[in-house]
Amino acid sequence: MNRCVIDARTNRYLPKNIAASTENFDTEHYHYDHATNSIDCKPLSNNPYHIYFRQVYPTTINEHELTDDMFDVIQSYTNSLSNECYIKTNINLLSANYDDIDWIYVNKLRSLIRGLNQSNIKPIYYRGLTLSDKEIQYYLDKRNEYYYTNSFLSFTIDYALVYAGNAILLLKTEHTSEKAKKNLANIWKWSVLMEEKEALLAVGTKLKILSVHYFGYKWQIEVELVEDD
């Protein structure tokens, strides 16, 4: 989750009812604030995407088996400075704009994350966030509960590289089963921006909120990667 401010770049990928709205409204997936022209994303208690998921690549992919198509999928997502793939994919998912979601691309990226054969999953990953008060409250209300990710999420293994927002998400995997770890992949070797030491978490991944604390100037939210039922 991360607050999405609606501007010329993001507006084209949002449902038309948002652009036409003149007042606040809530859906299962988000709260739209007309005054700030932004959407606050809610943690999902159920996975609404699973009926669309398909494993389009092999279930086990060794590094030497990566194809040009697989490289293109990773690089198109991580090269957000020169194309709209990252924004388009995640905003469509966040807003549950199902008709406009490119499910072929979503399933390629998700299948690649889940298929990569990796033994170097780290015990902790970091993600910087800018959250609204409402989104922080969503996390506080769901402490010790589970939720499903509503987009692909980028993390880094290096705390020093964390985006400078008002919150940091700590993803813990030390007690995570091997099955659950399939939803996380270290992809920085093939990323356009290798220096970011990026890992990707698949959309529709189940997480448990362990703790939510405020440390002087920043919220720290600890979540654990868990196995889906």
Side-chain angles (χ1 to χ4, degrees):
M1 297 192 318
N2 200 7
R3 164 169 275 201
C4 174
V5 177
I6 301 171
D7 56 24
R9 193 178 185 194
T10 60
N11 185 62
R12 75 187 81 172
Y13 304 123
L14 290 165
K16 292 180 176 57
N17 63 321
I18 292 180
S21 178
T22 58
E23 58 185 11
N24 298 350
F25 66 87
D26 276 280
T27 74
E28 177 186 356
H29 299 268
Y30 59 84
H31 168 80
Y32 171 68
D33 189 313
H34 179 67
T36 60
N37 200 29
S38 62
I39 57 175
D40 297 320
C41 300
K42 300 179 179 180
L44 303 177
S45 299
N46 300 298
N47 183 358
Y49 313 108
H50 69 94
I51 60 173
Y52 300 96
F53 289 157
R54 303 288 184 273
Q55 185 68 26
V56 298
Y57 291 140
T59 54
T60 301
I61 307 167
N62 295 307
E63 289 188 16
H64 69 275
E65 297 173 320
L66 287 166
T67 65
D68 289 343
D69 184 58
M70 294 173 185
F71 282 123
D72 288 344
V73 168
I74 293 176
Q75 299 219 330
S76 63
Y77 186 86
T78 59
N79 190 18
S80 57
L81 296 178
S82 64
N83 68 63
E84 299 286 295
C85 186
Y86 166 84
I87 293 176
K88 177 179 183 292
T89 300
N90 282 322
I91 289 183
N92 282 166
L93 288 166
L94 287 168
S95 60
N97 199 9
Y98 297 125
D99 291 341
D100 291 333
I101 292 172
D102 184 349
W103 290 110
I104 294 176
Y105 180 80
V106 167
N107 280 317
K108 282 185 176 183
L109 184 55
R110 181 177 178 273
S111 296
L112 185 52
I113 292 170
R114 291 177 53 80
L116 277 170
N117 185 20
Q118 297 187 323
S119 59
N120 61 336
I121 295 299
K122 309 300 181 185
I124 189 167
Y125 292 81
Y126 308 96
R127 174 178 171 82
L129 296 169
T130 297
L131 299 177
S132 68
D133 291 343
K134 186 177 290 290
E135 287 177 310
I136 291 168
Q137 191 62 50
Y138 291 154
Y139 279 110
L140 287 168
D141 291 343
K142 290 188 73 69
R143 280 173 292 185
N144 298 313
E145 296 182 16
Y146 300 91
Y147 74 100
Y148 291 89
T149 57
N150 49 10
S151 67
F152 292 98
L153 298 180
S154 294
F155 289 83
T156 180
I157 62 169
D158 189 341
Y159 185 87
L161 297 176
V162 169
Y163 167 78
N166 68 341
I168 181 169
L169 190 68
L170 279 63
L171 174 65
K172 295 190 170 184
T173 67
E174 55 191 334
H175 302 300
T176 299
S177 69
E178 292 303 312
K179 181 179 178 182
K181 287 180 181 177
K182 289 181 69 68
N183 284 311
L184 178 66
N186 300 321
I187 55 93
W188 63 81
K189 288 201 300 186
W190 310 291
S191 170
V192 172
L193 303 172
M194 295 177 63
E195 66 276 9
E196 292 185 349
K197 300 180 182 178
E198 184 178 2
L200 272 182
L201 188 68
V203 59
T205 296
K206 190 175 184 179
L207 301 175
K208 181 179 181 180
I209 300 175
L210 301 177
S211 67
V212 183
H213 296 291
Y214 187 70
F215 291 103
Y217 69 101
K218 183 171 291 195
W219 288 91
Q220 180 173 293
I221 303 163
E222 293 186 355
V223 299
E224 183 178 31
L225 179 58
V226 296
E227 189 173 321
D228 202 357
D229 299 330

mmCIF file of all heavy atoms in Angstrom, residues 10-30:
data_model
loop_
_atom_site.group_PDB
_atom_site.id
_atom_site.type_symbol
_atom_site.label_atom_id
_atom_site.label_comp_id
_atom_site.label_asym_id
_atom_site.label_seq_id
_atom_site.Cartn_x
_atom_site.Cartn_y
_atom_site.Cartn_z
ATOM 1 N N THR A 10 -0.916 9.649 -13.647
ATOM 2 C CA THR A 10 -1.622 8.496 -13.088
ATOM 3 C C THR A 10 -3.090 8.435 -13.481
ATOM 4 O O THR A 10 -3.693 7.362 -13.501
ATOM 5 C CB THR A 10 -1.536 8.516 -11.548
ATOM 6 O OG1 THR A 10 -2.126 9.724 -11.053
ATOM 7 C CG2 THR A 10 -0.085 8.441 -11.092
ATOM 8 N N ASN A 11 -3.687 9.571 -13.792
ATOM 9 C CA ASN A 11 -5.125 9.652 -14.008
ATOM 10 C C ASN A 11 -5.612 8.722 -15.125
ATOM 11 O O ASN A 11 -6.693 8.135 -15.032
ATOM 12 C CB ASN A 11 -5.517 11.096 -14.337
ATOM 13 C CG ASN A 11 -7.016 11.255 -14.451
ATOM 14 O OD1 ASN A 11 -7.749 11.031 -13.500
ATOM 15 N ND2 ASN A 11 -7.482 11.635 -15.633
ATOM 16 N N ARG A 12 -4.818 8.571 -16.156
ATOM 17 C CA ARG A 12 -5.255 7.772 -17.318
ATOM 18 C C ARG A 12 -5.448 6.294 -16.991
ATOM 19 O O ARG A 12 -6.112 5.571 -17.736
ATOM 20 C CB ARG A 12 -4.246 7.922 -18.456
ATOM 21 C CG ARG A 12 -2.952 7.158 -18.263
ATOM 22 C CD ARG A 12 -1.924 7.461 -19.323
ATOM 23 N NE ARG A 12 -1.221 8.699 -19.033
ATOM 24 C CZ ARG A 12 -0.163 9.120 -19.721
ATOM 25 N NH1 ARG A 12 0.258 8.419 -20.767
ATOM 26 N NH2 ARG A 12 0.453 10.228 -19.390
ATOM 27 N N TYR A 13 -4.862 5.835 -15.869
ATOM 28 C CA TYR A 13 -4.938 4.417 -15.531
ATOM 29 C C TYR A 13 -5.950 4.123 -14.425
ATOM 30 O O TYR A 13 -6.093 2.978 -14.008
ATOM 31 C CB TYR A 13 -3.555 3.909 -15.097
ATOM 32 C CG TYR A 13 -2.489 4.150 -16.136
ATOM 33 C CD1 TYR A 13 -1.342 4.871 -15.831
ATOM 34 C CD2 TYR A 13 -2.635 3.679 -17.442
ATOM 35 C CE1 TYR A 13 -0.371 5.104 -16.788
ATOM 36 C CE2 TYR A 13 -1.681 3.915 -18.406
ATOM 37 C CZ TYR A 13 -0.542 4.633 -18.073
ATOM 38 O OH TYR A 13 0.409 4.869 -19.021
ATOM 39 N N LEU A 14 -6.640 5.142 -13.950
ATOM 40 C CA LEU A 14 -7.611 4.963 -12.885
ATOM 41 C C LEU A 14 -9.021 4.801 -13.447
ATOM 42 O O LEU A 14 -9.310 5.251 -14.550
ATOM 43 C CB LEU A 14 -7.564 6.162 -11.943
ATOM 44 C CG LEU A 14 -6.304 6.266 -11.080
ATOM 45 C CD1 LEU A 14 -6.199 7.652 -10.468
ATOM 46 C CD2 LEU A 14 -6.294 5.199 -10.000
ATOM 47 N N PRO A 15 -9.914 4.164 -12.691
ATOM 48 C CA PRO A 15 -11.302 4.036 -13.157
ATOM 49 C C PRO A 15 -11.925 5.406 -13.416
ATOM 50 O O PRO A 15 -11.631 6.379 -12.721
ATOM 51 C CB PRO A 15 -11.987 3.331 -11.977
ATOM 52 C CG PRO A 15 -10.901 2.627 -11.256
ATOM 53 C CD PRO A 15 -9.691 3.494 -11.402
ATOM 54 N N LYS A 16 -12.785 5.476 -14.394
ATOM 55 C CA LYS A 16 -13.385 6.754 -14.798
ATOM 56 C C LYS A 16 -14.230 7.371 -13.683
ATOM 57 O O LYS A 16 -14.413 8.594 -13.633
ATOM 58 C CB LYS A 16 -14.224 6.555 -16.054
ATOM 59 C CG LYS A 16 -13.398 6.217 -17.290
ATOM 60 C CD LYS A 16 -14.267 6.037 -18.509
ATOM 61 C CE LYS A 16 -13.430 5.806 -19.769
ATOM 62 N NZ LYS A 16 -12.543 4.647 -19.651
ATOM 63 N N ASN A 17 -14.779 6.546 -12.763
ATOM 64 C CA ASN A 17 -15.612 7.110 -11.702
ATOM 65 C C ASN A 17 -14.796 7.981 -10.741
ATOM 66 O O ASN A 17 -15.341 8.875 -10.094
ATOM 67 C CB ASN A 17 -16.326 6.004 -10.924
ATOM 68 C CG ASN A 17 -15.360 5.085 -10.204
ATOM 69 O OD1 ASN A 17 -14.301 4.754 -10.726
ATOM 70 N ND2 ASN A 17 -15.730 4.648 -9.018
ATOM 71 N N ILE A 18 -13.482 7.745 -10.658
ATOM 72 C CA ILE A 18 -12.649 8.595 -9.808
ATOM 73 C C ILE A 18 -12.494 9.977 -10.438
ATOM 74 O O ILE A 18 -12.658 11.003 -9.774
ATOM 75 C CB ILE A 18 -11.271 7.946 -9.562
ATOM 76 C CG1 ILE A 18 -11.432 6.694 -8.699
ATOM 77 C CG2 ILE A 18 -10.309 8.928 -8.921
ATOM 78 C CD1 ILE A 18 -10.141 5.990 -8.398
ATOM 79 N N ALA A 19 -12.163 9.991 -11.720
ATOM 80 C CA ALA A 19 -11.961 11.273 -12.407
ATOM 81 C C ALA A 19 -13.227 12.132 -12.391
ATOM 82 O O ALA A 19 -13.156 13.366 -12.340
ATOM 83 C CB ALA A 19 -11.512 11.021 -13.843
ATOM 84 N N ALA A 20 -14.384 11.493 -12.410
ATOM 85 C CA ALA A 20 -15.644 12.235 -12.480
ATOM 86 C C ALA A 20 -16.213 12.569 -11.106
ATOM 87 O O ALA A 20 -17.175 13.332 -11.001
ATOM 88 C CB ALA A 20 -16.676 11.422 -13.263
ATOM 89 N N SER A 21 -15.614 12.035 -10.037
ATOM 90 C CA SER A 21 -16.193 12.211 -8.709
ATOM 91 C C SER A 21 -15.976 13.621 -8.167
ATOM 92 O O SER A 21 -14.939 14.246 -8.383
ATOM 93 C CB SER A 21 -15.587 11.202 -7.738
ATOM 94 O OG SER A 21 -16.114 11.386 -6.441
ATOM 95 N N THR A 22 -16.978 14.114 -7.428
ATOM 96 C CA THR A 22 -16.881 15.429 -6.781
ATOM 97 C C THR A 22 -16.973 15.305 -5.262
ATOM 98 O O THR A 22 -17.125 16.298 -4.556
ATOM 99 C CB THR A 22 -18.000 16.358 -7.270
ATOM 100 O OG1 THR A 22 -19.268 15.738 -6.995
ATOM 101 C CG2 THR A 22 -17.859 16.619 -8.770
ATOM 102 N N GLU A 23 -16.881 14.068 -4.752
ATOM 103 C CA GLU A 23 -16.947 13.840 -3.312
ATOM 104 C C GLU A 23 -16.160 12.589 -2.932
ATOM 105 O O GLU A 23 -15.770 11.801 -3.797
ATOM 106 C CB GLU A 23 -18.404 13.685 -2.862
ATOM 107 C CG GLU A 23 -19.133 12.555 -3.562
ATOM 108 C CD GLU A 23 -20.604 12.504 -3.198
ATOM 109 O OE1 GLU A 23 -21.100 13.456 -2.582
ATOM 110 O OE2 GLU A 23 -21.247 11.495 -3.530
ATOM 111 N N ASN A 24 -15.903 12.423 -1.659
ATOM 112 C CA ASN A 24 -15.191 11.247 -1.158
ATOM 113 C C ASN A 24 -16.048 9.999 -1.336
ATOM 114 O O ASN A 24 -17.282 10.067 -1.289
ATOM 115 C CB ASN A 24 -14.866 11.400 0.331
ATOM 116 C CG ASN A 24 -13.956 12.582 0.614
ATOM 117 O OD1 ASN A 24 -13.411 13.194 -0.297
ATOM 118 N ND2 ASN A 24 -13.791 12.890 1.886
ATOM 119 N N PHE A 25 -15.395 8.862 -1.513
ATOM 120 C CA PHE A 25 -16.135 7.605 -1.486
ATOM 121 C C PHE A 25 -15.185 6.456 -1.155
ATOM 122 O O PHE A 25 -13.961 6.560 -1.291
ATOM 123 C CB PHE A 25 -16.876 7.341 -2.803
ATOM 124 C CG PHE A 25 -15.999 7.110 -3.999
ATOM 125 C CD1 PHE A 25 -15.518 5.849 -4.314
ATOM 126 C CD2 PHE A 25 -15.675 8.161 -4.852
ATOM 127 C CE1 PHE A 25 -14.729 5.637 -5.432
ATOM 128 C CE2 PHE A 25 -14.880 7.958 -5.967
ATOM 129 C CZ PHE A 25 -14.409 6.693 -6.258
ATOM 130 N N ASP A 26 -15.781 5.351 -0.703
ATOM 131 C CA ASP A 26 -15.025 4.164 -0.306
ATOM 132 C C ASP A 26 -15.404 2.985 -1.180
ATOM 133 O O ASP A 26 -16.562 2.828 -1.580
ATOM 134 C CB ASP A 26 -15.326 3.795 1.148
ATOM 135 C CG ASP A 26 -14.481 4.571 2.127
ATOM 136 O OD1 ASP A 26 -13.314 4.189 2.316
ATOM 137 O OD2 ASP A 26 -14.980 5.560 2.693
ATOM 138 N N THR A 27 -14.395 2.140 -1.455
ATOM 139 C CA THR A 27 -14.640 0.841 -2.058
ATOM 140 C C THR A 27 -13.947 -0.199 -1.173
ATOM 141 O O THR A 27 -13.288 0.146 -0.184
ATOM 142 C CB THR A 27 -14.081 0.747 -3.488
ATOM 143 O OG1 THR A 27 -12.643 0.628 -3.429
ATOM 144 C CG2 THR A 27 -14.464 1.958 -4.324
ATOM 145 N N GLU A 28 -14.089 -1.441 -1.537
ATOM 146 C CA GLU A 28 -13.395 -2.509 -0.804
ATOM 147 C C GLU A 28 -11.882 -2.347 -0.878
ATOM 148 O O GLU A 28 -11.151 -2.768 0.014
ATOM 149 C CB GLU A 28 -13.805 -3.862 -1.392
ATOM 150 C CG GLU A 28 -13.113 -5.061 -0.768
ATOM 151 C CD GLU A 28 -13.450 -6.348 -1.491
ATOM 152 O OE1 GLU A 28 -14.277 -6.309 -2.429
ATOM 153 O OE2 GLU A 28 -12.879 -7.391 -1.129
ATOM 154 N N HIS A 29 -11.404 -1.682 -1.934
ATOM 155 C CA HIS A 29 -9.973 -1.615 -2.205
ATOM 156 C C HIS A 29 -9.313 -0.316 -1.777
ATOM 157 O O HIS A 29 -8.120 -0.288 -1.491
ATOM 158 C CB HIS A 29 -9.729 -1.818 -3.699
ATOM 159 C CG HIS A 29 -10.205 -3.138 -4.204
ATOM 160 N ND1 HIS A 29 -9.397 -4.249 -4.251
ATOM 161 C CD2 HIS A 29 -11.420 -3.534 -4.667
ATOM 162 C CE1 HIS A 29 -10.086 -5.267 -4.725
ATOM 163 N NE2 HIS A 29 -11.316 -4.864 -4.985
ATOM 164 N N TYR A 30 -10.062 0.787 -1.758
ATOM 165 C CA TYR A 30 -9.436 2.077 -1.466
ATOM 166 C C TYR A 30 -10.460 3.103 -0.993
ATOM 167 O O TYR A 30 -11.678 2.924 -1.147
ATOM 168 C CB TYR A 30 -8.705 2.616 -2.702
ATOM 169 C CG TYR A 30 -9.594 2.817 -3.903
ATOM 170 C CD1 TYR A 30 -10.336 3.985 -4.069
ATOM 171 C CD2 TYR A 30 -9.710 1.842 -4.885
ATOM 172 C CE1 TYR A 30 -11.159 4.175 -5.163
ATOM 173 C CE2 TYR A 30 -10.533 2.015 -5.987
ATOM 174 C CZ TYR A 30 -11.258 3.180 -6.113
ATOM 175 O OH TYR A 30 -12.090 3.358 -7.196
#
